[in-house]
Amino acid sequence: MTENGELRSTQWFGATGRTGMAHRSWMRSEGFTPEVFDGRPVIGIATTWSELAPCNVHLQRVAESVKRGVWQAGGFPLEFPAMALGETLLRPTAMLYRNLLAMEAEELMRANPLDGVVLLSGCDKTTPGLLMAAASVDLPAVMVTGGPMLNGKYRGTDVGSGTAVWRFEEDLVAGRMTQEECVFAEGCMARSNGHCMTMGTASTMASMAEALGMQLPYSATWPAVDARRYETAQRAGQVIVDLVRQELRPSAIMTRAAFENAIRVNAAIGGSTNAVIHLLALAGRLGVPLSLDDFDVLARDVPTLVNLQPNGQYLMEDFCYAGGLPAVMRELAEAGLLHAEAITVTGFGIGANVADAPCWNREVIKTMAEPLQPAGTGTAVLRGNLAPGGAVIKQSASSAHLLKHRGRALVFDSPADYYAVSNDPELDVDEDTVLVIRYCGPRGYPGMPEVSNVALPRKLLLRGVRDMVRICDGRMSGTAYGTVVLHVAPEAAAGGPLALVRTGDWITLDVPDRTLTLEVSAEELAERRAAWSLPAPHASRGWTRLYCEHVLQADSGADLDFLVGASGHEVPRESH
Ligand code: FES
């Protein structure tokens, strides 16, 4: 609504004279009858559909269901494209473009005659990107994620997209699988519409959107091809019209309490470390105070309840049939670990939404009394002279015997440098070595790609070693596993201490103590710093230049400095 109580779309479609005529006439070229301009809420449907983003390729169908709901509720739906980010194809990383999607979608929402928006996402970066946009515009908004793929099936067993890739690669390198078997497995792993069906980043961020109150209950888990996803999408179309009428905005939903709920839910589902970065960036858009340490402190009381790969056994389809996210949130609520009053797009508090949620399978969704993993084994935040701005490690995806570890560093300035020698039988490495892979942060790669969990050296794989400590300023796919210290801040390319490590230095990782220590004196580090120089910029023009000049570090969510905060939804000046 504008200050005089009108819908903002009225300033376009309700205008008299030349301006109103232009706005209406060209819309009528799409075949709409004049009644659509009678002052009803205009609902934008931001779709990240693209054939270059396979996880989102069915969103056109989802949009049709949303439209039905909007029409049903007396609104006027208009679908528009927002940048589609396909995790598997985009180079150097889809993360380089999350902020560009957020910026594009924000500007489209503000510049167009919209009163509310439905956000259609799926693949990893599209969910946080659209939420960040909606947060900065603060128009009423509902998210509908596209849902996970059906379980992968390979030779009689369930295989998880993403998670199985790492295992298949290790099996290929170690000679346990042939190239032909790998090619056959590709088709078995991804066999329907939808995003990765492990508890990877897409499933995690869909769950975060639901836990924040921005999606309808069960939205995160209905498989992409399940009729109930389309039913939920239609319901979302009805709901957004109500939200416009009630003026319930993202800033009223995504409060500090909602973020605390999301962080605890992330711990309970064994969610991706990428949620840390995305939630920090989202909070920055809303002015909600949130720090890296909140993730450690709030998660310490929360056990892992959901038995999904990569931490556990099952996949998203199983999670859905077991009761989905509401069953998990009910466990948290009954343990006093959920802010029940946090308002959601249903118009009710999240506690009311999940109060009666049933669980149908306790193998998949565990109880607080008998969890999958005990409290305090989720994502830990590490600090020390190697990561003064912090770093994270996903304990549940790590090997217990490596969580306290001291080893000598073997340092590489890029994953490519490492892979150039990783198969060398003469490589000076053993299971105690700490692999340091650097210059992979926001400025470094650029875009902070998911390259941190480099495959183990071949000679160790052949000896049966399945894990070793790795330290990196990049990210790791939510589908991946291993004892990998991630998001080291400041990154090497910003002059962080990671840039000063040398092969042979001793490094101590102490996760119980939350420390990461480079055993080199401050004097020696000062000498090394004096000899260090900033790497050359990656680009002299375009988005990459803008990104590298303005991106914040991982501990601030890797947003651009000038995108932090909100610009609101004030109607811009006329165009003609
Ligand atoms: Fe899109 Fe995994 S590649 S969700």
Side-chain angles (χ1 to χ4, degrees):
M1 299 276 184
T2 58
E3 274 173 12
N4 58 11
E6 280 181 335
L7 290 171
R8 69 193 293 278
S9 61
T10 304
Q11 299 208 18
W12 280 263
F13 298 136
T16 54
R18 174 173 52 88
T19 303
M21 191 175 181
H23 292 315
R24 289 185 300 271
S25 176
W26 269 261
M27 288 305 292
R28 289 183 68 179
S29 75
E30 295 185 30
F32 293 116
T33 59
E35 296 82 61
V36 298
F37 308 118
D38 62 2
R40 66 186 72 197
V42 179
I43 306 300
I45 303 170
T47 177
T48 49
W49 171 85
S50 165
E51 288 185 336
L52 289 168
C55 307
N56 295 18
V57 81
H58 60 302
L59 292 181
Q60 283 181 312
R61 276 188 60 211
V62 177
E64 290 308 315
S65 295
V66 174
K67 285 180 200 172
R68 284 188 210 162
V70 173
W71 286 121
Q72 254 179 328
F76 176 23
L78 291 168
E79 184 181 350
F80 66 97
M83 194 175 180
L85 305 178
E87 193 67 26
T88 53
L89 299 183
L90 279 169
R91 295 184 181 192
T93 166
M95 183 63 179
L96 178 61
Y97 303 106
R98 181 202 64 180
N99 301 335
L100 185 56
L101 161 62
M103 189 161 73
E104 181 213 26
E106 175 186 341
E107 298 304 328
L108 285 173
M109 289 175 202
R110 186 183 302 110
N112 276 299
L114 301 178
D115 302 306
V117 282
V118 178
L119 314 169
L120 303 190
S121 67
C123 201
D124 296 12
K125 307 303 177 293
T126 52
T127 298
L130 287 180
L131 282 175
M132 288 160 70
S136 286
V137 184
D138 207 21
L139 281 174
V142 180
M143 175 154 266
V144 182
T145 51
M149 299 176 202
L150 297 176
N151 288 3
K153 299 280 181 187
Y154 175 65
R155 295 190 169 175
T157 59
D158 281 4
V159 285
S161 51
T163 302
V165 170
W166 317 111
R167 198 150 279 139
F168 289 156
E169 186 193 30
E170 286 173 3
D171 286 348
L172 185 66
V173 171
R176 292 186 290 266
M177 219 172 161
T178 66
Q179 182 60 37
E180 291 70 33
E181 287 170 329
C182 278
V183 171
F184 179 70
E186 288 169 9
C188 304
M189 198 168 52
R191 64 188 185 92
S192 80
N193 285 154
H195 58 68
C196 291
M197 83 310 260
T198 50
M199 189 48 80
T201 304
S203 301
T204 299
M205 291 312 299
S207 301
M208 293 298 90
E210 190 172 325
L212 283 165
M214 292 297 292
Q215 294 218 74
L216 291 172
Y218 298 100
S219 292
T221 45
W222 298 127
V225 296
D226 194 305
R228 289 163 294 183
R229 173 151 304 282
Y230 295 88
E231 188 181 322
T232 303
Q234 186 168 339
R235 189 72 64 202
Q238 297 170 329
V239 160
I240 187 62
V241 177
D242 272 353
L243 292 184
V244 170
R245 291 184 174 134
Q246 294 170 37
E247 291 196 73
L248 185 55
R249 301 181 184 283
S251 57
I253 294 173
M254 292 190 281
T255 59
R256 166 82 192 187
F259 277 94
E260 291 191 2
N261 285 345
I263 289 170
R264 288 197 167 114
V265 167
N266 190 44
I269 62 177
S272 163
T273 45
N274 286 318
V276 177
I277 297 235
H278 298 319
L279 290 179
L280 286 169
L282 182 58
R285 298 298 184 101
L286 292 151
V288 170
L290 198 71
S291 74
L292 193 54
D293 294 320
D294 285 325
F295 288 82
D296 197 316
V297 172
L298 290 164
R300 281 195 188 211
D301 303 334
V302 183
T304 309
L305 300 179
V306 179
N307 185 8
L308 251 60
Q309 296 180 29
N311 309 326
Q313 183 181 349
Y314 296 98
L315 295 167
M316 286 296 282
E317 200 182 334
D318 309 302
F319 185 27
C320 174
Y321 306 149
L325 203 64
V328 178
M329 285 194 280
R330 179 180 174 178
E331 284 289 318
L332 294 178
E334 290 177 354
L337 291 169
L338 202 72
H339 296 291
E341 75 291 352
I343 199 82
T344 71
V345 290
T346 63
F348 297 103
I350 200 146
N353 288 352
V354 304
D356 301 318
C359 175
W360 306 109
N361 187 339
R362 283 296 176 198
E363 267 304 295
V364 179
I365 302 173
K366 304 282 188 177
T367 61
M368 294 293 286
E370 290 182 61
L372 181 72
Q373 283 157 334
T377 54
T379 297
V381 175
L382 308 171
R383 292 188 188 274
N385 67 344
L386 196 46
V392 302
I393 185 167
K394 187 173 177 178
Q395 297 179 81
S396 55
S398 303
S399 300
H401 72 281
L402 291 173
L403 292 176
K404 270 173 93 84
H405 181 80
R406 183 170 183 263
R408 283 192 182 275
L410 179 59
V411 182
F412 297 91
D413 284 345
S414 74
D417 287 357
Y418 165 69
Y419 285 122
V421 298
S422 65
N423 286 347
D424 184 345
E426 301 302 317
L427 185 66
D428 186 11
V429 66
D430 62 28
E431 52 268 60
D432 293 329
T433 302
V434 175
L435 279 179
V436 174
I437 313 289
R438 62 189 177 190
Y439 295 101
C440 299
R443 289 191 216 168
Y445 204 99
M448 204 181 177
E450 295 179 337
V451 295
S452 305
N453 57 315
V454 290
L456 266 53
R458 188 162 187 267
K459 70 189 254 190
L460 297 187
L461 285 173
L462 291 176
R463 278 180 30 208
V465 177
R466 299 307 290 253
D467 197 8
M468 63 191 295
V469 174
R470 287 151 279 178
I471 299 175
C472 187
D473 44 8
R475 295 176 304 117
M476 176 169 87
S477 166
T479 64
Y481 50 87
T483 310
V484 193
V485 176
L486 305 157
H487 309 183
V488 172
E491 62 177 307
L498 197 66
L500 310 178
V501 184
R502 290 183 181 164
T503 291
D505 288 347
W506 285 97
I507 292 176
T508 301
L509 168 68
D510 189 336
V511 178
D513 204 32
R514 301 296 195 259
T515 54
L516 181 66
T517 310
L518 175 63
E519 296 179 24
V520 175
S521 69
E523 296 73 31
E524 168 67 15
L525 287 177
E527 274 181 35
R528 293 184 191 181
R529 180 168 297 287
W532 179 82
S533 55
L534 209 59
H538 280 287
S540 60
R541 65 176 298 282
W543 169 252
T544 302
R545 174 176 171 175
L546 187 70
Y547 177 91
C548 290
E549 288 177 356
H550 291 280
V551 70
L552 299 170
Q553 289 295 289
D555 56 323
S556 299
D559 201 358
L560 301 193
D561 52 12
F562 61 84
L563 290 175
V564 173
S567 303
H569 44 268
E570 194 176 328
V571 175
R573 287 187 286 181
E574 289 175 357
S575 52
H576 293 88

mmCIF file of all heavy atoms in Angstrom, residues 54-56 85-88 122-124 149 161-162 194-197 201-203 479, ligand 1:
data_model
loop_
_atom_site.group_PDB
_atom_site.id
_atom_site.type_symbol
_atom_site.label_atom_id
_atom_site.label_comp_id
_atom_site.label_asym_id
_atom_site.label_seq_id
_atom_site.Cartn_x
_atom_site.Cartn_y
_atom_site.Cartn_z
ATOM 1 N N PRO A 54 18.887 -26.962 -14.432
ATOM 2 C CA PRO A 54 18.031 -28.158 -14.464
ATOM 3 C C PRO A 54 17.157 -28.314 -13.228
ATOM 4 O O PRO A 54 16.035 -28.815 -13.325
ATOM 5 C CB PRO A 54 19.034 -29.311 -14.568
ATOM 6 C CG PRO A 54 20.329 -28.716 -14.982
ATOM 7 C CD PRO A 54 20.310 -27.278 -14.615
ATOM 8 N N CYS A 55 17.652 -27.888 -12.084
ATOM 9 C CA CYS A 55 16.874 -28.054 -10.841
ATOM 10 C C CYS A 55 15.614 -27.190 -10.850
ATOM 11 O O CYS A 55 14.698 -27.410 -10.047
ATOM 12 C CB CYS A 55 17.729 -27.700 -9.638
ATOM 13 S SG CYS A 55 19.300 -28.570 -9.597
ATOM 14 N N ASN A 56 15.577 -26.171 -11.722
ATOM 15 C CA ASN A 56 14.465 -25.212 -11.733
ATOM 16 C C ASN A 56 13.619 -25.337 -12.998
ATOM 17 O O ASN A 56 12.749 -24.507 -13.238
ATOM 18 C CB ASN A 56 15.009 -23.779 -11.665
ATOM 19 C CG ASN A 56 15.724 -23.484 -10.362
ATOM 20 O OD1 ASN A 56 16.113 -24.400 -9.648
ATOM 21 N ND2 ASN A 56 15.905 -22.227 -10.047
ATOM 22 N N LEU A 85 20.121 -19.506 -11.721
ATOM 23 C CA LEU A 85 21.500 -19.874 -11.409
ATOM 24 C C LEU A 85 21.579 -21.388 -11.254
ATOM 25 O O LEU A 85 21.099 -21.942 -10.270
ATOM 26 C CB LEU A 85 21.955 -19.185 -10.120
ATOM 27 C CG LEU A 85 21.822 -17.659 -10.097
ATOM 28 C CD1 LEU A 85 22.255 -17.119 -8.746
ATOM 29 C CD2 LEU A 85 22.656 -17.030 -11.210
ATOM 30 N N GLY A 86 22.156 -22.027 -12.228
ATOM 31 C CA GLY A 86 22.311 -23.484 -12.193
ATOM 32 C C GLY A 86 23.655 -23.845 -11.572
ATOM 33 O O GLY A 86 24.705 -23.533 -12.129
ATOM 34 N N GLU A 87 23.565 -24.525 -10.454
ATOM 35 C CA GLU A 87 24.774 -24.816 -9.673
ATOM 36 C C GLU A 87 25.794 -25.632 -10.463
ATOM 37 O O GLU A 87 27.005 -25.431 -10.333
ATOM 38 C CB GLU A 87 24.355 -25.593 -8.414
ATOM 39 C CG GLU A 87 25.413 -25.703 -7.360
ATOM 40 C CD GLU A 87 25.752 -24.376 -6.727
ATOM 41 O OE1 GLU A 87 24.908 -23.473 -6.707
ATOM 42 O OE2 GLU A 87 26.905 -24.249 -6.260
ATOM 43 N N THR A 88 25.288 -26.544 -11.270
ATOM 44 C CA THR A 88 26.210 -27.499 -11.882
ATOM 45 C C THR A 88 26.903 -26.960 -13.125
ATOM 46 O O THR A 88 27.948 -27.472 -13.515
ATOM 47 C CB THR A 88 25.455 -28.783 -12.269
ATOM 48 O OG1 THR A 88 24.324 -28.420 -13.063
ATOM 49 C CG2 THR A 88 25.003 -29.537 -11.031
ATOM 50 N N GLY A 122 14.764 -22.971 -6.536
ATOM 51 C CA GLY A 122 15.034 -24.398 -6.437
ATOM 52 C C GLY A 122 16.503 -24.631 -6.140
ATOM 53 O O GLY A 122 16.885 -24.931 -5.027
ATOM 54 N N CYS A 123 17.319 -24.466 -7.163
ATOM 55 C CA CYS A 123 18.745 -24.730 -7.009
ATOM 56 C C CYS A 123 19.365 -23.766 -5.987
ATOM 57 O O CYS A 123 18.827 -22.684 -5.718
ATOM 58 C CB CYS A 123 19.419 -24.618 -8.373
ATOM 59 S SG CYS A 123 20.993 -25.478 -8.452
ATOM 60 N N ASP A 124 20.511 -24.193 -5.474
ATOM 61 C CA ASP A 124 21.116 -23.599 -4.274
ATOM 62 C C ASP A 124 20.995 -22.078 -4.118
ATOM 63 O O ASP A 124 20.547 -21.594 -3.088
ATOM 64 C CB ASP A 124 22.621 -23.907 -4.238
ATOM 65 C CG ASP A 124 22.913 -25.385 -4.104
ATOM 66 O OD1 ASP A 124 22.001 -26.211 -4.253
ATOM 67 O OD2 ASP A 124 24.078 -25.712 -3.859
ATOM 68 N N MET A 149 14.265 -33.756 -6.155
ATOM 69 C CA MET A 149 14.079 -34.888 -7.075
ATOM 70 C C MET A 149 13.622 -36.116 -6.292
ATOM 71 O O MET A 149 13.791 -36.201 -5.077
ATOM 72 C CB MET A 149 15.423 -35.280 -7.705
ATOM 73 C CG MET A 149 16.112 -34.265 -8.526
ATOM 74 S SD MET A 149 17.727 -34.991 -9.022
ATOM 75 C CE MET A 149 18.633 -33.506 -9.381
ATOM 76 N N SER A 161 21.926 -37.384 -4.999
ATOM 77 C CA SER A 161 22.603 -36.512 -5.955
ATOM 78 C C SER A 161 23.596 -35.644 -5.195
ATOM 79 O O SER A 161 23.312 -35.128 -4.126
ATOM 80 C CB SER A 161 21.589 -35.638 -6.693
ATOM 81 O OG SER A 161 20.755 -34.989 -5.778
ATOM 82 N N GLY A 162 24.750 -35.488 -5.764
ATOM 83 C CA GLY A 162 25.808 -34.745 -5.081
ATOM 84 C C GLY A 162 26.622 -35.682 -4.210
ATOM 85 O O GLY A 162 27.761 -36.013 -4.539
ATOM 86 N N GLY A 194 13.494 -31.440 -10.206
ATOM 87 C CA GLY A 194 13.725 -31.112 -8.804
ATOM 88 C C GLY A 194 15.177 -30.830 -8.507
ATOM 89 O O GLY A 194 16.061 -30.990 -9.350
ATOM 90 N N HIS A 195 15.415 -30.358 -7.286
ATOM 91 C CA HIS A 195 16.794 -30.073 -6.867
ATOM 92 C C HIS A 195 17.382 -31.281 -6.158
ATOM 93 O O HIS A 195 16.688 -32.281 -5.907
ATOM 94 C CB HIS A 195 16.845 -28.808 -6.000
ATOM 95 C CG HIS A 195 16.004 -28.843 -4.759
ATOM 96 N ND1 HIS A 195 16.280 -29.667 -3.690
ATOM 97 C CD2 HIS A 195 14.902 -28.137 -4.389
ATOM 98 C CE1 HIS A 195 15.398 -29.472 -2.738
ATOM 99 N NE2 HIS A 195 14.530 -28.555 -3.131
ATOM 100 N N CYS A 196 18.649 -31.217 -5.806
ATOM 101 C CA CYS A 196 19.340 -32.347 -5.163
ATOM 102 C C CYS A 196 18.516 -32.844 -3.979
ATOM 103 O O CYS A 196 17.999 -32.052 -3.189
ATOM 104 C CB CYS A 196 20.719 -31.924 -4.682
ATOM 105 S SG CYS A 196 21.856 -31.582 -6.035
ATOM 106 N N MET A 197 18.417 -34.173 -3.878
ATOM 107 C CA MET A 197 17.515 -34.741 -2.862
ATOM 108 C C MET A 197 18.242 -35.221 -1.616
ATOM 109 O O MET A 197 17.680 -35.931 -0.797
ATOM 110 C CB MET A 197 16.630 -35.810 -3.489
ATOM 111 C CG MET A 197 17.189 -37.196 -3.644
ATOM 112 S SD MET A 197 18.780 -37.318 -4.408
ATOM 113 C CE MET A 197 18.400 -37.781 -6.075
ATOM 114 N N THR A 201 22.626 -28.041 -0.122
ATOM 115 C CA THR A 201 22.295 -26.629 0.092
ATOM 116 C C THR A 201 20.886 -26.296 -0.369
ATOM 117 O O THR A 201 20.180 -25.519 0.283
ATOM 118 C CB THR A 201 23.323 -25.739 -0.621
ATOM 119 O OG1 THR A 201 24.616 -26.110 -0.143
ATOM 120 C CG2 THR A 201 23.081 -24.279 -0.327
ATOM 121 N N ALA A 202 20.436 -26.878 -1.481
ATOM 122 C CA ALA A 202 19.090 -26.546 -1.959
ATOM 123 C C ALA A 202 18.034 -27.007 -0.958
ATOM 124 O O ALA A 202 17.121 -26.245 -0.613
ATOM 125 C CB ALA A 202 18.844 -27.183 -3.320
ATOM 126 N N SER A 203 18.148 -28.254 -0.480
ATOM 127 C CA SER A 203 17.189 -28.741 0.516
ATOM 128 C C SER A 203 17.308 -27.936 1.807
ATOM 129 O O SER A 203 16.301 -27.652 2.465
ATOM 130 C CB SER A 203 17.445 -30.221 0.812
ATOM 131 O OG SER A 203 17.329 -30.990 -0.357
ATOM 132 N N THR A 479 26.159 -31.214 -0.134
ATOM 133 C CA THR A 479 26.026 -32.656 -0.340
ATOM 134 C C THR A 479 27.306 -33.394 0.026
ATOM 135 O O THR A 479 27.343 -34.612 -0.012
ATOM 136 C CB THR A 479 25.702 -32.947 -1.820
ATOM 137 O OG1 THR A 479 26.815 -32.510 -2.610
ATOM 138 C CG2 THR A 479 24.445 -32.246 -2.279
HETATM 139 FE FE1 FES B 1 20.790 -27.720 -8.135
HETATM 140 FE FE2 FES B 1 22.068 -29.509 -6.427
HETATM 141 S S1 FES B 1 22.633 -28.842 -8.409
HETATM 142 S S2 FES B 1 20.320 -28.299 -6.150
#
